[in-house]
Amino acid sequence: MTNAPLILLQDISHRYADAENLILNKVHISLSEHQRVGLIGPNGCGKTTLFHLIMGLLKPLSGTVRYKGKVLAGDKDFGELREEVGLLFQDADDQLFSPTVLEDVAFGPLNKGAAPAEARDIAQQTLKDLGLSHLERRITHHLSGGEKKLVALATILAMHPRVLLLDEPTNNLDQQTQSRLIGIINGLDLAFMIISHDYDFLVATCEDLYLLDKGHVTSGHTSHLHTHHHAHPHGAHPHKHGDA
Amino acid sequence: MRFEQFSQGSSFLHRLDTRVKLISTFFLSLVLALCQSDLTALAGLVIGILLITAARLEMRQVCYRLLMVNAFVGFLWITLPLSYPGDRVFAVGVLSISSQGVALATLITMKTNAIILIITALLATSGTADLGHGLERLGMPRKLCLLLLFSYRYIFVIHQEYQRLARAARLRCFRPGTNLHTYRTYGYLFGMTLVKSCHRADRVRQAMMLRGFKGRFLTLNDSIPVRNDLLFLGAAVAGAFCLLALELGTR
Ligand SMILES: Nc1ncnc2c1ncn2[C@@H]1O[C@H](COP(=O)(O)OP(=O)(O)O)[C@@H](O)[C@H]1O
Ligand SMILES: [Mg+2]
């Protein structure tokens, strides 16, 4: 957390149109170059909402989103951020839409202006790096839940992002695939923020920690999680940490 | 229901340039759709069978598709011979079968199957994304091409949502019958399908936008026509002209 933050959220408040309470209340969050942060909080506390606010998919009620120090207001301002920040959706089905895996992974590079042959190379290399080459020709909607998640990650990584926002990446993954994912993530040379309820996973991948509850964010360190986790080995359910 | 079931393959037709296939299909099916002579339709049917063989598709699935189309043609066979005015060849009481009606139904059957075979062999062997891209490169309005692509994409989304809900209902022991409970359940099912599809469509749009989609579909298979493509195009257009000559000659 030495250099100036890449992503900076200041006093962000948000409320969905049909709700009474603020789901985020003056939230302050930052993510610096190479910082690895876990984001935890109970179900429905607004973690996904927070990611969508960062990407500019939702407009905050008040507060500012900054990317590399620049305030982002309109849809246009988010252009650079969207090129450099990759968001892995909570539901992989939202992310995959091309008929075959290879085409889906190549979709981003093509949009970024790569020639077809180049895009194909990038896509194949990305799949290879993730150990997914065997899925190349498969039809996306026939993949298993875990495979979909990994392919969705590949579609993001193929765009060579500087920052990753991962929304519950370990859902649907078996133990072995989870370990592989940890290896992949730890091998990446970029900043990321991960939403997860899986403490082991967060301890293995992140150093810093944000806890979101009742609209407020507190920051901490994953080592807190560690002690907490060992006190409650079955603590997979989100609950309050009080002083985390 | 399966989508793009014929688009993956390695035949000569699969590898052909999409634009060539689009133009060929256009001319061949146009002549066949307008023709009125049995001979032309028969020749078209032969062309269709040749093409479908060249596409090396799984015959069972092709037959299944033909069967679905011919179910509609079946209705013509029920109505046309009975209702079309002409010489009666066979009569039972007030019902009489006219030879002109039978001839017309035969013609329509041949034309329909010929066109379906040609479209399956030429168009179904390309992915929808490639077709949309091909249409765009042929100078079709971009908005229409996008409409085609998104219709395809979201029919699939809606279908998937429906399946998901229907499965959930089935797993909770829902068995359709003729009662109010069934009708209400189907009402909920269709309603929820629409609502959920709408939400999912929105998220898919967001995901596409985040991956740099700017209103233009690009494809990995961005080929320029090679000699084979031009040869095929020449052959297909010549074929269409032969059909036309046959039609005008026998009229
Ligand atoms: N599009 C929406 N419209 C209205 N309410 C929403 C919408 N999306 C999410 N919510 C509500 O906002 C809250 C936070 O949702 P979300 O950010 O998805 O939570 P999570 O922390 O589990 O990711 C939930 O109570 C949810 O019901
Ligand atoms: Mg969520």
Side-chain angles (χ1 to χ4, degrees):
Chain A
M1 271 218 268
T2 45
N3 16 16
L6 275 172
I7 296 175
L8 181 61
L9 266 58
Q10 293 170 304
D11 295 328
I12 290 282
S13 298
H14 187 71
R15 178 201 346 243
Y16 283 106
D18 49 357
E20 284 178 17
N21 299 329
L22 288 178
I23 160 162
L24 299 174
N25 192 354
K26 301 222 177 214
V27 164
H28 191 95
I29 266 189
S30 70
L31 184 71
S32 309
E33 195 106 44
H34 300 298
Q35 196 184 0
R36 313 170 143 224
V37 192
L39 176 61
I40 58 175
N43 285 325
C45 71
K47 303 179 297 294
T48 299
T49 307
L50 189 70
F51 273 11
H52 287 201
L53 283 164
I54 294 178
M55 300 305 291
L57 296 175
L58 293 170
K59 293 272 156 290
L61 204 62
S62 63
T64 50
V65 179
R66 284 173 189 268
Y67 186 63
K68 295 182 185 164
K70 269 193 301 255
V71 177
L72 310 180
D75 226 13
K76 270 211 193 78
D77 298 347
F78 279 93
E80 188 188 354
L81 178 140
R82 287 173 184 168
E83 289 223 340
E84 298 183 0
V85 181
L87 168 65
L88 182 76
F89 278 60
Q90 184 163 353
D91 185 352
D93 273 318
D94 297 340
Q95 213 139 15
L96 305 176
F97 48 84
S98 306
T100 68
V101 168
L102 186 69
E103 282 171 287
D104 215 307
V105 179
F107 178 80
L110 280 173
N111 287 331
K112 281 181 95 172
E118 196 185 339
R120 182 183 291 267
D121 284 347
I122 296 175
Q124 280 172 336
Q125 187 58 44
T126 312
L127 286 169
K128 192 160 154 242
D129 292 344
L130 295 183
L132 300 174
S133 291
H134 59 289
L135 298 179
E136 221 173 80
R137 302 230 54 87
R138 293 273 298 278
I139 314 263
T140 45
H141 50 268
H142 290 167
L143 299 175
S144 78
E147 288 170 333
K148 277 184 193 165
K149 203 92 204 189
L150 290 179
V151 171
L153 181 64
T155 67
I156 309 277
L157 290 179
M159 299 187 69
H160 301 309
R162 280 181 71 173
V163 181
L164 275 183
L165 304 179
L166 307 180
D167 198 342
E168 308 204 10
T170 53
N171 279 7
N172 271 327
L173 298 188
D174 59 45
Q175 208 57 46
Q176 200 188 347
T177 318
Q178 255 188 54
S179 322
R180 224 172 80 210
L181 185 63
I182 292 175
I184 291 167
I185 289 179
N186 283 336
L188 294 171
D189 181 31
L190 33 86
F192 53 75
M193 200 183 293
I194 302 179
I195 296 176
S196 180
H197 297 299
D198 182 342
Y199 296 166
D200 281 332
F201 180 75
L202 287 181
V203 169
T205 50
C206 302
E207 290 128 29
D208 299 303
L209 191 67
Y210 282 124
L211 171 72
L212 178 60
D213 196 10
K214 302 214 167 73
H216 297 282
V217 169
T218 37
S219 61
H221 201 267
T222 43
S223 56
H224 294 196
L225 213 50
H226 211 53
T227 51
H228 182 91
H229 173 73
H230 285 296
H232 305 275
H234 301 294
H237 303 289
H239 42 235
K240 260 176 93 171
H241 291 242
D243 58 350
Chain B
M1 194 172 2
R2 275 197 58 202
F3 296 89
E4 299 202 336
Q5 61 189 133
F6 296 130
S7 67
Q8 305 294 325
S10 56
S11 78
F12 162 68
L13 289 179
H14 282 94
R15 277 178 282 123
L16 220 50
D17 189 281
T18 330
R19 283 168 296 174
V20 165
K21 295 203 257 188
L22 282 163
I23 298 174
S24 308
T25 311
F26 175 75
F27 281 118
L28 284 172
S29 49
L30 184 72
V31 176
L32 282 173
L34 297 179
C35 80
Q36 283 170 12
S37 104
D38 287 338
L39 210 54
T40 320
L42 195 62
L45 202 56
V46 172
I47 294 182
I49 291 172
L50 285 178
L51 284 175
I52 211 91
T53 317
R56 287 199 261 127
L57 302 172
E58 208 179 307
M59 271 309 144
R60 247 192 49 198
Q61 286 173 352
V62 175
C63 291
Y64 181 66
R65 182 171 285 201
L66 283 177
L67 215 62
M68 285 200 296
V69 174
N70 282 297
F72 287 100
V73 177
F75 285 108
L76 293 180
W77 276 98
I78 296 173
T79 51
L80 272 182
L82 291 177
S83 61
Y84 203 76
D87 318 325
R88 71 171 52 177
V89 279
F90 186 76
V92 193
V94 287
L95 297 178
S96 74
I97 294 189
S98 79
S99 62
Q100 277 87 345
V102 172
L104 189 61
T106 313
L107 178 66
I108 292 177
T109 309
M110 286 197 294
K111 282 164 63 155
T112 312
N113 283 290
I115 293 176
I116 291 294
L117 284 174
I118 289 172
I119 288 183
T120 306
L122 292 183
L123 296 191
T125 49
S126 287
T128 313
D130 290 335
L131 286 179
H133 191 64
L135 282 170
E136 193 183 324
R137 294 222 293 171
L138 282 174
M140 291 289 148
R142 178 122 136 250
K143 289 212 169 98
L144 285 183
C145 300
L146 279 181
L147 207 59
L148 169 82
L149 289 169
F150 279 106
S151 309
Y152 162 70
R153 168 63 197 152
Y154 287 113
I155 283 174
F156 178 70
V157 168
I158 292 170
H159 177 65
Q160 219 175 19
E161 282 310 339
Y162 175 74
Q163 270 189 329
R164 211 168 283 187
L165 290 170
R167 196 185 310 135
R170 234 186 2 259
L171 286 182
R172 279 155 64 198
C173 299
F174 169 68
R175 249 172 282 120
T178 23
N179 49 38
L180 197 58
H181 174 62
T182 301
Y183 299 142
R184 187 180 304 122
T185 307
Y186 273 120
Y188 287 159
L189 222 56
F190 290 133
M192 282 309 284
T193 301
L194 276 187
V195 171
K196 289 187 64 176
S197 308
C198 195
H199 285 166
R200 184 174 291 278
D202 204 38
R203 289 193 304 269
V204 170
R205 182 187 61 79
Q206 291 177 340
M208 291 175 74
M209 187 179 72
L210 292 186
R211 279 161 73 195
F213 182 72
K214 296 183 196 76
R216 202 188 171 93
F217 263 100
L218 304 162
T219 160
L220 274 181
N221 314 321
D222 196 7
S223 57
I224 38 171
V226 292
R227 209 189 48 172
N228 272 353
D229 294 316
L230 297 180
L231 280 179
F232 182 86
L233 182 65
V237 173
F241 269 105
C242 288
L243 288 179
L244 188 65
L246 199 60
E247 171 72 15
L248 295 180
T250 50
R251 207 173 252 182

